[in-house]
Amino acid sequence: MNSLRQWWSLPVDYGWNVAYARSQQALHVTRILIGIFCFFYAAAAVIALTIPGLADSGPGQWALWSTIVTTPPLGLAWLIGGWPSWRMSIAFVMYADIVLAAVLLTLDESSEMLPMAALFTVMGSYVVGFHGPKVFTAHHLFAFVTLAALYVSAMVEEPAQRLQTNLYLVMLILVMFSAPLICHSFLMLLRRDATGAFYDPLTGLQNRRGFDAAIGNLDFRSGIETVVAAVVIDIDNFKAVNDRYGHEHGDTVIRLTANRILDVFPAPAVTVRLGGEEFAIVCLGEVDSVIDRSEELRIRLCDATDRSPLTASIGVAHMVVEARDIVGDVDVLLGRADRAMYRAKRIGGNRVTEYEDGEPSVHPVDERQ
């Protein structure tokens, strides 16, 4: 029971799962396979329509024709579109489950349809890969109710085949429920441990490895050019803070800085602790807004009520990119923002500097601090 409670309470970050799959070059292949499988479902429905006695009833034909009409456009969307948001992914799971259940329950031969319930496992594999225990449970409960209805119908309509029907039921339980539950439990535990390698334990921000994985999760629309901004922050004279107050207080300062960064640049901005007292942010949006927020962050870091008030040198860079070039372009952006940050540091720190036309451009200090 403790293991089940632990499994049920495991936090799931759909965006992180998608970003990790993208960072491992697996997302594109997965998307293509899902699109192809949608066309296979349509082909199976066409074949079912041609089998004598299988779809003689009106509801059965309606369910098959609905599958034939709706699954090819869905498959095409998977092939040429981007990866769906969490809401769209949930809608896809619901659509697939409902369409499959409608076909299985409306066709005329329940005993022949009973083994076809194993097709729920296809969607179950998708749920295992990208969703958590609650979606997994909802999907399998729906599959179980559908299977139970098919089983009862087969037992009533064909009593001579009851032994075979019971054999199908046992096999389906093993295929549809037992193995996926074990795999999902272990996968979730492994995923929980793996996420620790993507986050900085001191601040909770992503480390560079997690940052690289999360970059692909920015909300791009395929083929559309988007303005991306990078911000690099370095605390001025941080060594003096450690020397004067001790490393324990230095850790407190690093955590405080991370919290203020998250306050000013909340998700979906991607934040990272690059190491030591250096942080970075990548986000979408107009550069003027990013510079204004960077200036706000500089002012909030320089809080006179803190035990050791900080100043920070902040560099900003931006460029227009396409989704397919995001990883390489972000590396370029970070390099430019880093140059801008060092320019701010060389002229005294406590400034926001923007990288423009190949050279850092210093912004006037806001006197609100």
Side-chain angles (χ1 to χ4, degrees):
M1 290 301 296
N2 287 334
S3 297
L4 284 175
R5 281 195 294 269
Q6 184 183 25
W7 168 74
W8 180 257
S9 62
L10 284 173
V12 179
D13 186 341
Y14 171 78
W16 184 89
N17 293 341
V18 173
Y20 180 76
R22 182 182 283 112
S23 72
Q24 301 301 312
Q25 310 301 316
L27 202 65
H28 181 67
V29 174
T30 302
R31 183 168 54 81
I32 291 175
L33 288 175
I34 293 173
I36 292 173
F37 292 158
C38 288
F39 286 101
F40 272 109
Y41 272 98
V46 170
I47 294 171
L49 274 174
T50 65
I51 298 176
L54 191 61
D56 291 340
S57 65
Q61 291 190 2
W62 179 89
L64 289 174
W65 276 112
S66 296
T67 304
I68 294 169
V69 170
T70 59
T71 51
L74 184 62
L76 190 62
W78 275 101
L79 291 174
I80 65 176
W83 193 267
S85 65
W86 180 84
R87 290 182 183 275
M88 292 302 295
S89 180
I90 294 295
F92 172 64
V93 174
M94 294 175 62
Y95 160 83
D97 282 352
I98 291 171
V99 167
L100 179 57
V103 170
L104 295 177
L105 295 174
T106 57
L107 294 183
D108 296 326
E109 301 291 338
S110 298
S111 60
E112 294 183 16
M113 288 297 102
L114 188 61
M116 299 298 104
L119 289 173
F120 279 110
T121 307
V122 178
M123 183 50 61
S125 300
Y126 173 82
V127 172
V128 166
F130 294 97
H131 290 283
K134 295 176 178 61
V135 178
F136 177 90
T137 302
H139 162 77
H140 281 83
L141 280 175
F142 184 84
F144 177 79
V145 171
T146 304
L147 176 61
L150 279 172
Y151 172 75
V152 171
S153 178
M155 293 290 283
V156 171
E157 292 176 3
E158 299 189 37
Q161 302 292 328
R162 286 181 177 176
L163 187 60
Q164 179 177 296
T165 300
N166 285 318
L167 176 61
Y168 284 155
L169 179 65
V170 172
M171 294 174 62
L172 285 168
I173 289 174
L174 292 174
V175 171
M176 293 172 59
F177 305 108
S178 301
L181 178 60
I182 294 171
C183 292
H184 187 66
S185 300
F186 276 101
L187 183 62
M188 289 296 298
L189 293 172
L190 288 172
R191 186 178 294 157
R192 181 197 62 183
D193 293 339
T195 56
F198 286 76
Y199 290 90
D200 170 50
L202 179 62
T203 63
L205 297 181
Q206 295 174 71
N207 58 24
R208 185 55 196 259
R209 183 180 180 187
F211 181 75
D212 291 340
I215 285 301
N217 198 40
L218 289 170
D219 188 18
F220 279 96
R221 285 185 290 178
S222 182
I224 304 297
E225 292 185 338
T226 306
V227 176
V228 179
V231 181
V232 172
I233 305 115
D234 190 89
I235 300 173
D236 297 326
N237 302 313
F238 182 70
K239 184 177 183 300
V241 174
N242 276 333
D243 291 343
R244 181 175 180 180
Y245 297 99
H247 289 281
E248 184 175 349
H249 179 70
D251 288 346
T252 301
V253 167
I254 293 294
R255 285 193 291 267
L256 179 64
T257 302
N259 290 337
R260 289 175 178 172
I261 289 172
L262 290 174
D263 287 342
V264 179
F265 289 93
V270 180
T271 55
V272 59
R273 182 187 179 196
L274 294 173
E277 66 274 22
E278 190 170 1
F279 304 82
I281 304 154
V282 171
C283 56
L284 309 182
E286 295 299 325
V287 66
D288 290 343
S289 172
V290 174
I291 291 173
D292 288 344
R293 285 193 284 167
S294 298
E295 186 65 26
E296 179 187 350
L297 174 62
R298 185 192 67 80
I299 293 168
R300 293 187 65 173
L301 289 175
C302 190
D303 189 335
T305 64
D306 291 341
R307 180 184 177 191
S308 53
L310 303 175
T311 65
S313 299
I314 301 176
V316 180
H318 73 283
M319 64 189 300
V320 177
V321 302
E322 291 187 8
R324 64 174 180 270
D325 302 319
I326 180 62
V327 176
D329 286 342
V330 164
D331 285 338
V332 173
L333 271 174
L334 286 174
R336 292 177 178 179
D338 198 55
R339 286 178 59 186
M341 181 273 292
Y342 276 108
R343 167 65 173 160
K345 194 171 285 291
R346 283 195 300 270
I347 60 175
N350 194 25
R351 291 180 182 272
V352 175
T353 303
E354 181 186 3
Y355 185 94
E356 289 183 312
D357 300 324
E359 292 296 333
S361 172
V362 180
H363 284 253
V365 173
D366 191 319
E367 299 298 338
R368 289 176 293 169
Q369 64 183 36

